[in-house]
Amino acid sequence: MTEVDLQLVTGEDELERFVRWVVTTDMLDPSRYLSGGELVLTGMAWRRDPSDSDTFVATLARAKVAGLAAGDALYGEPPEDLVEACRRHRMPLFRVPEHIAFATVTEQINRNLSTGRAADLAAILDRHRQLVSGGGLDSVLDLLHRNLGTPCWVVSSTGRVVAGPTDSPPDEVRAATLSAPRLPHVVTSEGTRFSLFGVDPDSTSRIADWFLIFQSDYKDWPEERRALTGELAAVVSLERARQDDRQSAEGRLAQELIELIVSDAKPADIISRLELTGLALSDRYLAVAATADNGAVRPGELRAILREILSGRTPAAGVVDGEAIALVPLGDDDNLDDRIHRAVEALEPGLQGSRLSVGISGAVDGEGLRGAVEEARYARRMAAERRQPTSIVRHDELATHMLLLASVPDEVRRMFRLRLLDPLTTYDRDNRADLVHTLETFLQVSGSWSKCADLLHVHVNTLRYRVQRIEELTERDLSRLEDRVDFFLALALR
């Protein structure tokens, strides 16, 4: 307060408080006009006896004002009872010499506050400018480091460093973003404390979020630095949204490609959309499918998680019926399966009671995409039957018939399925019947009439009628092993 010649009377240990503005009052209880952070100027007209000092200062302390400045005009100097009350309530007390007008104090301090706010705003705008101009998060974090002296990193849910200094935080610190009971959280590694913050407060699961890691203990920060953390999180959230390709032309084309592959689209349509997506027909691909149970992750978040698991590649990803599916160009990467395993395992601490199931196909070229996707989805369903928090099934763990089906050209498989099942699905749709489900159940119990009838909750005679209708519509005989095998394979191709 040297610019306006205010003299500190007491409160040397409380001078780090942040002043938001200046308020002048001579009310004994001005609390309804205070919201915290004010420097209160008073001429002390409220003081009728010494006990009023404690009443007044206690009111200011409860309102969390920054400090009190008392004018000399009435008493010549602050009375001892006021000084004692300020000591008792840990309130900084300044003396305003009589020759200094309160208006001068207010004008000077507000000018300083305005300058400080302008500097803060300039820094905020500069951070945003650097981000928008292409400097990315690294330039924002570098600016933060230079101004605050605190290294900071942005990391993903798998522990991947998205941005920040070259020296990454220790592995156990990055892993703590998922394992900490709540955020923000402080973790110590080799004597160094790190503060962990989530970026997106609306995320339904930590495995779908990004994180801020500061190399310091946030509990020791002043209030303005904690506020800066929220601002930085907002900037990081914007950058993350920018990287989300769901709203881009490429992302929409990728979603449409996945939908075409899962549907009955013709191979020519799939190949055409593949080329529009920027993927080559001659490349080799893996298909990867993933689900999270218990509604732990929203569909869009699940897609982002799958893209994070495949970080380093450029997959075409989409979501169909709550299942995220991605096609991954292989290139020269022979260790993609292992990297997927490590990334999925890294997410396990953040699942918090839910389960993440992943299926991985074998390698195919562009003409075998439908087979690869079906193989990955079948593997994902097998993974979901296991009870671990994270479960991965690869193509080499699948039943032999699935590997055989995946190698058959798309159009052949499509026509085989339609020829056998289309008469049944059409009949079911037109007559509200249940022939396809009856057929599937009949094959699951190896043609046992009694078991099948029990599972369907129908009389055996009703079941015999349904099977007879299936045979009439398809011109097949379910007592023959060859026809049973054909139906089994057609159902597997759905």
Side-chain angles (χ1 to χ4, degrees), residues 2 62 71 118 125 133 189 194 262 293 297 341 344 356 363 463 469:
T2 55
R62 285 194 298 271
L125 294 175
S133 66
S189 176
F194 296 85
V262 171
D293 68 356
V297 181
H341 270 267
V344 170
L356 181 65
L463 174 61
R469 195 72 183 124

Side-chain angles (χ1 to χ4, degrees), residues 8-116:
L8 180 65
V9 178
T10 185
E12 294 84 355
D13 297 334
E14 305 293 334
L15 296 181
E16 294 298 322
R17 298 184 182 187
F18 179 67
V19 177
R20 292 194 297 125
W21 57 66
V22 181
V23 172
T24 301
T25 183
D26 273 313
M27 298 175 63
L28 183 62
D29 182 1
S31 56
R32 63 181 179 274
Y33 301 110
L34 303 173
S35 56
E38 298 90 351
L39 174 65
V40 175
L41 299 181
T42 182
M44 298 189 61
W46 46 263
R47 183 178 180 271
R48 295 290 182 265
D49 61 64
S51 63
D52 289 342
S53 292
D54 190 76
T55 301
F56 180 73
V57 175
T59 298
L60 303 186
R62 285 194 298 271
K64 300 185 183 303
V65 305
L68 172 64
D72 284 353
L74 190 57
Y75 293 100
E77 62 181 17
E80 186 58 35
D81 51 90
L82 179 63
V83 177
E84 181 57 33
C86 288
R87 289 197 185 105
R88 186 161 47 251
H89 294 286
R90 303 179 64 85
M91 178 66 59
L93 173 62
F94 297 90
R95 177 184 177 186
V96 184
E98 188 174 355
H99 67 276
I100 298 178
F102 280 5
T104 302
V105 175
T106 301
E107 180 183 355
Q108 182 63 52
I109 292 178
N110 283 339
R111 183 183 300 118
N112 291 343
L113 292 175
S114 297
T115 302

Side-chain angles (χ1 to χ4, degrees), residues 295-444:
V297 181
R298 293 189 292 255
E301 292 179 329
L302 182 62
R303 179 180 179 277
I305 291 168
L306 183 55
R307 288 178 62 86
E308 175 60 31
I309 290 170
L310 300 170
S311 178
R313 314 302 302 175
T314 308
V319 177
V320 178
D321 296 330
E323 183 177 30
I325 302 168
L327 293 171
V328 193
L330 276 175
D332 299 326
D333 191 347
D334 296 327
N335 299 313
L336 183 56
D337 280 13
D338 293 336
R339 291 199 295 106
I340 293 174
H341 270 267
R342 290 194 297 271
V344 170
E345 289 171 356
L347 295 174
E348 184 169 323
L351 289 171
Q352 299 175 342
S354 62
R355 291 185 298 140
L356 181 65
S357 306
V358 178
I360 307 174
S361 78
V364 298
D365 59 22
E367 294 184 350
L369 294 180
R370 177 172 279 135
V373 167
E374 290 179 358
E375 191 175 81
R377 299 184 79 188
Y378 185 79
R380 197 276 309 159
R381 289 193 292 272
M382 285 184 61
E385 294 175 359
R386 300 176 180 178
R387 308 312 301 173
Q388 303 96 316
T390 58
S391 180
I392 303 175
V393 171
R394 302 182 350 163
H395 68 99
D396 52 8
E397 299 180 59
L398 299 181
T400 305
H401 73 274
M402 287 303 300
L403 298 178
L404 177 64
L405 291 175
S407 65
V408 177
D410 284 350
E411 186 63 17
V412 175
R413 294 170 338 127
R414 177 174 175 272
M415 293 307 300
F416 176 75
R417 183 184 74 251
L418 291 177
R419 186 178 297 115
L420 277 172
L421 298 182
D422 197 48
L424 304 182
T425 55
T426 301
Y427 184 87
D428 283 348
R429 183 181 63 248
D430 294 344
N431 298 277
R432 297 183 179 180
D434 203 20
L435 295 186
V436 173
H437 180 54
T438 298
L439 172 63
E440 189 171 24
T441 306
F442 187 74
L443 295 177
Q444 285 175 350

